Amino acid sequence: MKKYTYTEKKDTRSGFGAGLAELADKNPDVVALCADLIGSLKMEKFIEKAPERFFQIGIAEANMIGIAAGLAIEGKIPFTGTFANFSTGRVYDQIRQSVAYSDKNVKICASHAGLTLGEDGATHQILEDIGLMKMLPGMTVINTCDYNQTKAATIAIADYEGPVYLRFGRPVIPVFTDENQTFEIGKAWIVNEGKDVTIIATGHLVWEAIKAGEILEEQGIDAEIINIHTIKPLDTEAILKSVKKTGCVVTAEEHNRLGGLGDSVAQLLITEYLAPQEYVAVNDSFGESGTPDQLMEKYGLTANDIVEAVKKVMKRK
């Protein structure tokens, strides 16, 4: 099993900010909009480089989506920024009607996703956003795993024609992917090859899956770990190839088990290749206030929870 190490921890939202700042220099059509959360979305460097291409909309998220759609009509590439809860749940009608239905080239960039937003609690945490966004026809859904991957994804989606939902988070986590990577939308990353079980993870849970793989190796279990950073379109070829080899799968995500990555994988398996599956996800509940580590532990999203799910699913083969 390949070993992954890190020398620093960074928040994925800072990866977004770094990617957006680079786009300020690379692409004059990129514009940025924010709903009164410049610091939280790390947009300061973009504003320094291209103040004429930044729009502070204020606490008016629905208006921000409408303005972004209008800018897209005029050939601009708008990146909207606010918390994931306000990027999706609060403005779902505007996204559906003004962006998805007419296939506008709007990039909806969402920070503070999942439970690890932490102490702000359930009113600000969202665990339904992947499901909401992947159900919209034509919407690409991306959930990145570390700073470097988030930066690369931010840059990549500027060149992609069509609406995109880019999801990232607040806490600092290990930076373990290549600094100079090329981000391929819709292409899974095989983190580690194995033969006994497939672990498919996304976002913050990719690092937990890597830690779980190390624990399992010590116990004689050879896990194949796949980073599904693009939940829609799903890399069905990579998933089926792996599950046909291992015979069982665990999906891991910082999201409600209903409507997330796990459900996408289950739909694929039920139609293409029947195999036992276990979910590591929030079990149909809201979150609560607490530190990211406390919440990951309480809601069963740690490396140890992945290990237990692997043992359970392997008994079902």
Side-chain angles (χ1 to χ4, degrees):
M1 174 173 284
K2 182 179 178 180
K3 301 298 181 184
Y4 289 86
T5 59
Y6 65 93
T7 58
E8 62 179 337
K9 292 183 177 183
K10 290 185 179 181
D11 46 344
T12 47
R13 59 181 172 150
S14 289
F16 165 71
L20 192 65
E22 191 166 317
L23 287 171
D25 297 325
K26 292 177 61 175
N27 193 328
D29 289 327
V30 168
V31 297
L33 302 84
C34 190
D36 201 38
L37 287 167
I38 292 170
S40 294
L41 271 290
K42 306 297 183 181
M43 289 180 158
E44 298 96 335
K45 289 184 180 178
F46 181 91
I47 297 169
E48 290 174 10
K49 292 184 174 187
E52 75 285 357
R53 289 190 273 138
F54 174 76
F55 303 91
Q56 173 58 277
I57 310 302
I59 307 174
E61 294 86 356
N63 192 34
M64 179 173 69
I65 295 298
I67 293 170
L71 288 165
I73 290 173
E74 295 302 314
K76 301 302 180 184
I77 306 171
F79 282 64
T80 68
T82 185
F83 288 2
N85 195 12
F86 310 143
S87 289
T88 57
R90 178 170 288 182
V91 295
Y92 196 69
D93 180 62
Q94 284 73 26
I95 293 171
R96 183 183 186 275
Q97 302 298 96
S98 298
V99 176
Y101 178 64
S102 51
D103 196 34
K104 295 291 192 306
N105 191 30
V106 175
K107 317 305 175 185
I108 301 164
C109 304
S111 182
H112 293 58
L115 286 173
T116 50
L117 159 52
E119 289 84 352
D120 286 355
T123 57
H124 283 54
Q125 295 158 348
I126 190 164
L127 299 165
E128 315 93 63
D129 55 316
I130 290 173
L132 287 169
M133 300 306 283
K134 78 176 186 179
M135 285 191 293
L136 289 171
M139 181 68 70
T140 293
V141 179
I142 297 171
N143 186 36
T144 49
C145 69
D146 75 350
Y147 172 95
N148 287 338
Q149 191 173 77
T150 308
K151 179 181 177 181
T154 302
I155 295 167
I157 65 175
D159 293 327
Y160 176 83
E161 184 68 30
V164 175
Y165 179 59
L166 176 60
R167 183 189 204 247
F168 43 91
R170 177 188 187 185
V172 293
I173 60 171
V175 180
F176 61 95
T177 69
D178 185 2
E179 182 179 0
N180 300 310
Q181 66 190 274
T182 299
F183 186 87
E184 294 185 64
I185 295 172
K187 184 68 174 177
W189 171 37
I190 309 301
V191 179
N192 262 314
E193 294 187 2
K195 65 180 187 303
D196 295 329
V197 61
T198 299
I199 303 173
I200 300 175
T202 188
H204 295 150
L205 271 290
V206 175
W207 182 251
E208 297 299 319
I210 290 171
K211 292 195 295 183
E214 293 175 351
I215 296 169
L216 290 164
E217 184 181 35
E218 293 175 356
Q219 300 176 6
I221 297 172
D222 187 17
E224 181 147 294
I225 301 170
I226 304 176
N227 172 8
I228 294 289
H229 49 68
T230 307
I231 296 170
K232 183 184 175 187
L234 191 68
D235 191 342
T236 57
E237 181 180 351
I239 293 170
L240 288 172
K241 181 179 178 181
S242 178
V243 178
K244 286 177 181 179
K245 175 173 61 173
T246 65
C248 61
V249 60
V250 170
T251 53
E253 59 193 309
E254 188 185 346
H255 188 271
N256 194 333
R257 64 174 291 161
L258 304 175
L261 169 65
D263 272 6
S264 291
V265 172
Q267 287 181 38
L268 173 64
L269 297 181
I270 200 70
T271 56
E272 299 290 338
Y273 186 80
L274 289 176
Q277 176 181 346
E278 291 291 334
Y279 289 71
V280 173
V282 177
N283 190 19
D284 193 23
S285 74
F286 291 101
E288 62 184 288
S289 181
T291 68
D293 286 345
Q294 288 172 335
L295 294 169
M296 293 279 281
E297 183 76 30
K298 177 170 181 177
Y299 288 85
L301 305 180
T302 69
N304 287 329
D305 294 299
I306 296 173
V307 169
E308 291 306 309
V310 164
K311 292 179 179 179
K312 185 175 181 181
V313 81
M314 287 183 65
K315 291 179 180 178
R316 296 172 54 200
K317 282 209 284 185

